[in-house]
Amino acid sequence: MKPAPFDYVQVTSVAEALDALAADPDQSKLLAGGQSLVPMMNFRLARPAVLIDINRADELNGVARDGGRLRIGATTRHLQLQNLGGDDALSSLLRRAAVHIGHLPIRTVGTFGGSLAHCDAASEWCLVARLLDAEISTASRERGVRTIAAENFFQSLFTTAMLPDEMLTAVALPLLDDQHHAGFVEFARRAGDFAIVSAAVLVRTVDGVIRTARVCLGGVSSVPFRSSAAEAVLLGQPWSEDGCAARVSAAAADAAATEVAPTGDMHGSEDFRRDLVRALVPRALAQAADSTRNRMRSR
Amino acid sequence: MACAQTTPTVESTKSQASQAWVGRTIPRVEDPPLLCGQGTFVADIAAGDNCLYAAFIRSSVASGRLVSVTAPPGVHLVVAADLTAKPIRPLLLRPEYVPIDMPILADEVVRFVGEPVAAVFGRTQAEAEDAAEQVQVEIDRLPAVVSVADALADGAPLVHPVHFPTDPNVAIDARRETDGFHAAMKAADRRISIQVSCGRQSAMPMEARASHVSIDRSTGRITLTTTAQMPHVIRTGLCDSLGIPEDQLRVVVPDVGGAFGAKQPLAREDVVLIHVARQLGRSVAWIETREENFLAAWHSREQVYQLTGGFSTDGTLLCLQSEITSDVGAYSCYPVTFGVEALMAMNELPGPYACPEYSGHSRAILTNKCPVAPYRGVARPVLTMAMERLMEVAAAELGLGRVEIRLKNVVKEYPHRQATGFVIDPSSHVEALEQAVAATDFDAHARRKEEAAKHGRLLGIGMSVFSESSGFGTSAFAERKMAITPGYEKVQMSFDPSGNVVLRIGASPHGQGLRTTLSQIVADELGVDPSRVRVIHSDTDATPYGWGTFASRSLVIAGGASKLAGAKLREQIKAIAASMLECDARDIRLRDGNAEVTGTSVRVSIDEIARLAHHNSQLLPEGLDVGLDATATYDPKGTFSNSVHVAEVEVDPATGQTTILRYLVIEDAGVMVNPQIVEGQIRGGVAQGIGNALYEELLYDERGVLTTTSLLDFLPPTMAEVPTIEIQHLETISDFTVTGAKGVGEGGTMGAPAAILNAINDALASTGGAVTHVPATPQRVREAIRQAQRGKEESA
């Protein structure tokens, strides 16, 4: 349970980080919060020769509005997002997702960018990024700056579109106006565990009718899964203060549960994961309605 | 008022002592250093010493022939051939017991994933792990026995090439039957059968195992500092294996981060450490990793129970038949053997119920998995679950209330001799049941359940009733036919010249608060403040021979011995005081640190008496030895505490998730020396029982590879999953122990799985589903609901 030997480099800027990374991209790893990387090193599942600590690169940390987007720096801690102010649908979605990430000590250290770069199938942030069509910015000495859409970013388990010499610098999420209703729920065995299945929904309604719908599921494939079948069920359906009709959310859940092709493992069989999809999609939709209602009331 | 002339007996003690300290919650003396980070654990000792660290290379194959173990030059590699130590051979003197040798390191054959095959060493743990990565192990894979079904199949490979008297791979095949069993079963109005099973579990102490070995330069004596529960006993096992006299080895146990039975057995790794430390003449440590702890530090519980009860139509249990299989893994544990679960399972049925006729059959079956050892509760969490499931099913089938059938069958007259020979001493089964029912409004739960059902919510309530065997002495263990027969405890008590009491005990507390509780008992005997009593334990050089701490025994047995020693010492103090105060010893009483003449203000402090006994022995009354010391041994037959647990749960029908809404324990521990410590034992035990009921399971794949090797996969409940545990006490004073105290170390784990499983099945009743395996994971609950739905659809 002790890591293999490695060299440690601390940088204070993106430029320094990219220089360090360029020296030996295949043998180097960036250290952000370390909440996944360090345990993997202790198990010797990861054995980078060089660890480049980017925690002192202040430009990577923070959340800012940037036109119609929210720009989240790579080393922004989960807890910063959990404590994000604002009564808009995006802020409340981020808060609701953040509370599920591990335990408080993990959330004080673990980072948003690290979570996306790690690309765990159970990651809350990967699901949110996919739900919102996040734009992910990367940088490298050789390739310069790239912006990658979430759809293309998450490729398979622990594998993203980033190349070894690239680092994730920031993520842009679209701001959500009051036509949007978002919900995030997940099922884990114990508080703070990795989700077995998670569900995130986003609907945009105009005059009480669902005009766009997004249903994204975690834990049913190696990367966040977008259920077009469930979305098709929701499109054009009425949306009231209580959300959509129970019949509609059940149909959307059924469609999603039929569409997914989960792989069973010791944490959940294929059948059980489908059961959870069926259970969680309606709860995510109900939460989306609840959260809008609470928002309107508090105004 | 003159006291009667006393010899130190229990009666005199009761009238003499004001019982000022026993019964009081005083803060645990153990806590301040632990809470302030000033505890000393094995790894702390290693860190302060320039020692080598060991890393063990373990088999990645469940069954195979070891072809070669090699390492590049520069790596200090130790393999079986380098050792001269004998294998470990735990013994039961029973005809059906098959003795199995456990080599120190796997030699020629590997028998489970995690079995140690070699050790390497480095100046740090990281260096040792670096060295371990350079070791090449070649193993020819052989077919593995991964389950009981595999083990019993025709032509199954043998886990050990020994003669099995009944079936292959069956290491224990035990039966017992009362003469009238068959007639009773034949005559019963109804025969009701159930099956329950429990997954494999880890005791999972927060601190994994750890050992540090140092060699005294001048004498060559060895000191093993380790996380053991039985320091004196493992010294015997280690010395037998190493072929050295016991005087050469000192075993010391510092602070321990939880043990729960998993640190009771002799660790084969310790033999390697001692061998290497002696060879190199330098200290060697091994700090077990969590992964190793899961792989190789003893498992428990994997059992299946089939019970058939013969009932009369009014619900009276007339007879019981049990068929029990325990998957015990690949080796036997020293000293208690792999009979521990199988035999306790058979012998402690039918728990708290009077049942005149019994037939039991219990088998311990070898598999290519990690060996099992005791874990808090040993067999009883599962046998309680089996018995309580039988009561639930019988109540439903006979149309009786769940409380009614239990009230009808619990033991009511004491002492009561069970069909298996156990004698249940005065207890409070009926009162505990009635109190539990009243406290939870048990009978009104049906209404709460109905109301919730209207909103699609599934509520359930369940209970468990049980007796907890504790404080068993030599006679009880002798019946188990253990070659090494534990039981008694001996204590040595003395005053130092300043008037402080030193109590040396053979028990080896590691979290139970025994230093606190024993000081309370002694304080009452000697009329001193508990802070004046220091308890010395867990060091074979400094304590009388004893059996350590396990099986809910230490407070009962070491506590009893402390009380007896205190009574002897009290008479010595009184004799000296009488001589100093020129009165009759019968008129002296000890109180608040003084020996005083009853009814007067004439007194002398115990401090002065202690000083006189050491420094002015010429003034001692004739016939008294110098100093103030006494030795006492206590060896009781055993006593049963008793409990009722009630769990109220909500089951989410969509996800299968169970939430515990309320948890109540009615506990009768007899005299509680320190109520807070009793409640701590119960709460900790219930938390582990909740783990057993809902969360924790060790899983092997079809090749015999353990897949749950980290805390991502093996899920003990956290604070978020453990509800408030309400506790109410009853106090039945049993004369089976000298202090009136009964053991309560394991009851929490014993009652929780049964109560929770019954509550879940009560919640699931409307779905038609039932769960009979723990942990009752959400997936299993969903499967039960889905299966019931399919059944309904098919029959529709």
Side-chain angles (χ1 to χ4, degrees):
Chain A
M1 295 297 151
K2 304 291 178 196
F6 61 89
D7 287 331
Y8 172 85
V9 182
Q10 191 177 67
V11 298
T12 55
S13 69
V14 171
E16 279 178 38
L18 294 180
D19 285 342
L21 195 52
D24 190 358
D26 291 322
Q27 296 300 316
S28 302
K29 273 280 180 194
L30 298 172
L31 175 69
Q35 297 301 291
S36 300
L37 178 59
V38 171
M40 287 173 77
M41 288 173 65
N42 284 344
F43 277 110
R44 300 195 175 207
L45 297 170
R47 36 195 325 151
V50 184
L51 207 54
I52 304 165
D53 183 345
I54 57 171
N55 286 288
R56 300 274 173 94
D58 294 341
E59 63 192 288
L60 288 169
N61 185 285
V63 181
R65 278 175 183 245
D66 176 10
R69 292 155 193 280
L70 192 70
R71 185 184 173 283
I72 303 173
T75 62
T76 303
R77 315 287 158 177
H78 307 312
L79 192 66
Q80 288 174 268
L81 296 167
Q82 184 184 331
N83 292 339
L84 202 61
D87 73 345
D88 58 295
L90 178 60
S91 308
S92 78
L93 175 71
L94 294 174
R95 287 194 295 268
R96 285 186 185 268
V99 295
H100 291 291
I101 303 172
H103 301 276
L104 185 62
I106 291 172
R107 295 198 289 274
T108 61
V109 185
T111 67
F112 184 80
S115 180
L116 299 193
H118 183 54
C119 194
D120 190 296
S123 157
E124 287 80 5
W125 292 140
C126 293
L127 194 63
V128 166
R130 182 80 177 90
L131 181 80
L132 300 176
D133 283 333
E135 288 178 350
I136 297 152
S137 298
T138 65
S140 91
R141 241 326 130 243
E142 201 168 307
R143 264 168 273 275
V145 172
R146 288 205 291 159
T147 300
I148 308 169
E151 185 179 2
N152 303 319
F153 185 79
F154 304 113
Q155 299 202 326
S156 67
L157 196 61
F158 302 130
T159 309
T160 69
M162 280 197 298
L163 294 161
D165 69 335
E166 286 183 307
M167 72 181 284
L168 193 157
T169 53
V171 179
L173 301 177
L175 297 177
L176 302 176
D177 64 21
D178 283 346
Q179 291 184 327
H180 287 90
H181 316 282
F184 186 103
V185 294
E186 68 174 46
F187 180 85
R189 293 280 302 281
R190 303 173 306 178
D193 280 347
F194 282 112
I196 297 176
V197 169
S198 46
V201 299
L202 175 70
V203 297
R204 187 177 64 86
T205 61
V206 179
D207 298 333
V209 175
I210 299 175
R211 291 301 178 194
T212 58
R214 273 296 174 88
V215 177
C216 285
L217 301 165
V220 295
S221 58
S222 61
V223 293
F225 181 87
R226 197 177 145 189
S227 172
S228 44
E231 292 170 4
V233 171
L234 294 172
L235 266 183
Q237 293 292 335
W239 180 272
S240 72
E241 202 189 33
D242 297 325
C244 52
R247 172 186 54 77
V248 173
S249 43
D254 266 341
T258 310
E259 188 181 13
V260 296
T263 313
D265 64 13
M266 74 171 119
H267 300 291
S269 67
E270 193 186 317
D271 279 347
F272 183 54
R273 285 173 194 270
R274 283 184 205 278
D275 284 348
L276 292 176
V277 168
R278 218 170 255 117
L280 295 187
V281 169
R283 290 177 193 183
L285 285 164
Q287 194 200 74
D290 261 3
S291 119
T292 304
R293 209 166 43 229
N294 293 340
R295 194 158 64 236
M296 295 308 161
R297 269 190 206 141
S298 67
R299 278 181 188 169
Chain B
M1 193 189 86
C3 296
Q5 175 64 46
T6 53
T7 51
T9 64
V10 180
E11 285 71 25
S12 74
T13 308
K14 274 178 185 163
S15 59
Q16 172 85 29
S18 52
Q19 297 262 314
W21 295 104
V22 167
R24 256 203 241 180
T25 287
I26 63 169
R28 289 172 16 126
V29 295
E30 291 86 350
D31 285 341
L34 293 174
L35 294 175
C36 296
Q38 289 159 346
T40 303
F41 295 85
V42 174
D44 296 318
I45 290 161
D49 182 19
N50 182 28
C51 64
L52 288 178
Y53 284 89
F56 283 88
I57 289 85
R58 297 177 182 275
S59 175
S60 56
V61 168
S63 171
R65 193 156 297 285
L66 196 54
V67 178
S68 65
V69 184
T70 53
V75 171
H76 181 182
L77 178 74
V78 173
V79 297
D82 299 322
L83 301 174
T84 50
K86 284 190 298 218
I88 297 160
R89 172 176 278 205
L91 283 178
L92 277 186
L93 307 176
R94 297 174 67 100
E96 77 276 12
Y97 180 79
V98 181
I100 297 289
D101 279 353
M102 181 166 73
I104 303 307
L105 291 169
D107 189 7
E108 296 180 20
V109 185
V110 291
R111 294 193 171 86
F112 70 96
V113 170
E115 175 157 24
V117 297
V120 294
F121 301 85
R123 286 170 305 167
T124 62
Q125 282 180 272
E127 273 191 22
E129 289 182 38
D130 292 345
E133 287 188 326
Q134 299 182 57
V135 177
Q136 298 283 331
V137 180
E138 195 186 334
I139 299 173
D140 277 349
R141 197 186 290 264
L142 293 169
V145 172
V146 182
S147 65
V148 165
D150 284 355
L152 299 178
D154 280 344
L158 294 182
V159 177
H160 287 273
V162 294
H163 173 70
F164 297 95
T166 57
D167 293 307
N169 294 321
V170 178
I172 285 187
D173 194 330
R175 290 173 191 275
R176 67 183 310 153
E177 193 167 280
T178 54
D179 293 340
F181 169 75
H182 287 283
M185 190 56 99
K186 210 171 164 189
D189 296 325
R190 293 288 296 275
R191 284 173 283 278
I192 294 168
S193 298
I194 59 103
Q195 178 176 316
V196 296
S197 53
C198 179
R200 214 162 231 265
Q201 288 203 289
S202 167
M204 220 213 78
M206 234 193 293
E207 179 201 25
R209 295 180 296 175
S211 294
H212 172 270
V213 178
S214 63
I215 309 289
D216 183 282
R217 273 201 221 172
S218 57
T219 62
R221 279 186 87 224
I222 307 154
T223 299
L224 168 67
T225 306
T226 186
T227 55
Q229 292 177 243
M230 301 176 112
H232 287 280
V233 181
I234 66 154
R235 183 179 66 171
T236 301
L238 289 167
C239 291
D240 283 353
S241 173
L242 289 158
I244 56 175
E246 294 202 32
D247 172 56
Q248 283 299 296
L249 177 61
R250 174 185 179 196
V251 178
V252 179
V253 181
D255 284 325
V256 175
F260 312 114
K263 291 174 181 170
Q264 188 178 348
L266 174 59
R268 58 209 290 197
E269 289 86 352
D270 284 350
V271 180
V272 179
L273 298 188
I274 295 172
H275 172 89
V276 172
R278 291 178 87 199
Q279 198 178 46
L280 301 179
R282 108 172 248 201
S283 304
V284 178
W286 167 57
I287 313 299
E288 187 182 49
T289 66
R290 178 60 56 196
E291 185 180 26
E292 285 181 293
N293 188 261
F294 279 125
L295 284 169
W298 314 103
H299 295 175
S300 63
R301 301 264 201 276
E302 188 171 9
Q303 294 171 8
V304 182
Y305 287 63
Q306 287 170 297
L307 298 185
T308 299
F311 288 87
S312 63
T313 47
D314 72 354
T316 306
L317 178 64
L318 305 168
C319 55
L320 181 75
Q321 182 174 32
S322 68
E323 178 69 44
I324 302 155
T325 52
S326 305
D327 177 337
V328 297
Y331 294 104
S332 197
C333 63
Y334 179 95
V336 297
T337 80
F338 48 36
V340 67
E341 289 205 290
L343 295 171
M344 187 184 277
M346 180 176 77
N347 292 334
E348 292 217 11
L349 281 168
Y353 299 106
C355 176
E357 305 295 344
Y358 176 61
S359 171
H361 181 210
S362 186
R363 291 180 300 169
I365 294 167
L366 295 172
T367 55
N368 289 115
K369 294 196 282 199
C370 177
V372 300
Y375 168 32
R376 200 175 192 175
V378 187
R380 291 163 296 176
V382 202
L383 79 85
T384 300
M385 197 169 80
M387 215 45 222
E388 293 302 291
R389 172 86 183 138
L390 180 65
M391 285 296 156
E392 296 282 295
V393 172
E397 293 201 9
L398 296 168
L400 300 169
R402 293 190 280 165
V403 177
E404 186 186 0
I405 194 165
R406 289 177 166 90
L407 274 175
K408 185 173 285 288
N409 287 298
V410 288
V411 170
K412 296 181 188 71
E413 281 168 26
Y414 310 98
H416 173 91
R417 181 176 287 273
Q418 289 287 38
T420 53
F422 278 109
V423 177
I424 298 183
D425 54 328
S427 301
S428 56
H429 294 102
V430 170
E431 296 88 329
L433 251 169
E434 286 170 346
Q435 192 164 327
V437 167
T440 55
D441 205 2
F442 193 91
D443 297 323
H445 185 266
R447 276 203 310 280
R448 303 201 283 278
K449 184 175 167 181
E450 222 169 278
E451 194 53 38
K454 288 180 192 159
H455 307 283
R457 297 172 58 202
L458 299 181
L459 300 190
I461 193 166
M463 61 162 52
S464 61
V465 180
F466 61 94
S467 284
E468 177 183 356
S469 48
S470 67
F472 280 107
T474 309
S475 58
F477 283 102
E479 280 190 27
R480 292 189 192 176
K481 305 278 192 278
M482 290 169 63
I484 295 173
T485 311
Y488 60 83
E489 280 301 331
K490 192 172 188 175
V491 303
Q492 295 164 348
M493 190 185 291
S494 57
F495 274 90
D496 66 22
S498 68
N500 281 0
V501 182
V502 174
L503 177 67
R504 297 168 189 270
I505 62 172
S508 189
H510 45 274
Q512 292 82 359
L514 200 65
R515 295 212 291 270
T516 305
T517 46
L518 294 186
S519 75
Q520 289 178 263
I521 291 171
V522 171
D524 278 354
E525 292 304 309
L526 299 177
V528 299
D529 191 275
S531 65
R532 304 293 299 273
V533 181
R534 186 162 64 95
V535 180
I536 295 176
H537 59 82
S538 308
D539 179 346
T540 55
D541 270 9
T543 59
Y545 198 89
W547 298 100
T549 289
F550 63 98
S552 305
R553 65 189 301 277
S554 293
L555 190 272
V556 174
I557 307 180
S562 300
K563 187 178 173 85
L564 297 176
K568 288 185 184 174
L569 213 42
R570 188 179 65 232
E571 296 313 310
Q572 293 178 37
I573 295 169
K574 283 161 73 168
I576 299 169
S579 138
M580 291 170 84
L581 300 172
E582 298 179 336
C583 70
D584 193 317
R586 288 172 292 186
D587 295 334
I588 300 280
R589 65 183 262 172
L590 306 185
R591 200 171 68 159
D592 299 336
N594 295 306
E596 60 183 33
V597 181
T598 312
T600 72
S601 58
V602 178
R603 63 171 68 102
V604 57
S605 78
I606 293 175
D607 294 358
E608 286 174 67
I609 295 171
R611 192 166 280 267
L612 179 141
H614 290 86
H615 296 169
N616 308 100
S617 60
Q618 75 279 11
L619 299 179
L620 285 173
E622 206 152 317
L624 278 192
D625 197 1
V626 298
L628 274 174
D629 43 70
T631 298
T633 303
Y634 186 48
D635 194 1
K637 287 198 197 71
T639 177
F640 283 87
S641 56
N642 67 279
S643 303
V644 174
H645 289 207
V646 180
E648 280 189 60
V649 304
E650 173 159 4
V651 175
D652 180 341
T655 63
Q657 182 91 309
T658 298
T659 307
I660 300 170
L661 304 176
R662 184 172 181 195
Y663 203 97
L664 172 77
V665 176
I666 309 290
E667 179 76 42
D668 189 338
V671 170
M672 287 190 288
V673 175
N674 183 320
Q676 191 178 60
I677 286 177
V678 170
E679 294 187 354
Q681 286 283 355
I682 295 168
R683 292 203 167 92
V686 169
Q688 286 179 309
I690 288 171
N692 191 345
L694 297 174
Y695 298 103
E696 300 171 358
E697 189 167 23
L698 294 163
L699 297 169
Y700 280 87
D701 71 10
E702 66 286 352
R703 293 168 303 146
V705 177
L706 186 73
T707 57
T708 45
T709 56
S710 81
L711 289 165
L712 287 176
D713 310 319
F714 186 86
L715 310 178
T718 71
M719 285 305 288
E721 286 75 39
V722 178
T724 301
I725 295 157
E726 300 165 52
I727 300 171
Q728 296 181 10
H729 298 286
L730 291 166
E731 191 183 50
T732 302
I733 308 296
S734 162
D735 58 2
F736 277 42
T737 71
V738 292
T739 55
K742 297 174 165 196
V744 287
E746 299 166 275
T749 54
M750 287 160 54
I756 293 168
L757 190 76
N758 285 344
I760 291 172
N761 285 328
D762 182 44
L764 291 181
S766 62
T767 69
V771 181
T772 56
H773 179 87
V774 291
T777 60
Q779 181 171 315
R780 289 198 174 102
V781 171
R782 277 297 310 158
E783 274 161 14
I785 294 173
R786 214 181 300 114
Q787 204 176 343
Q789 273 167 348
R790 269 201 302 272
K792 277 182 200 165
E793 282 159 16
E794 276 162 23
S795 63

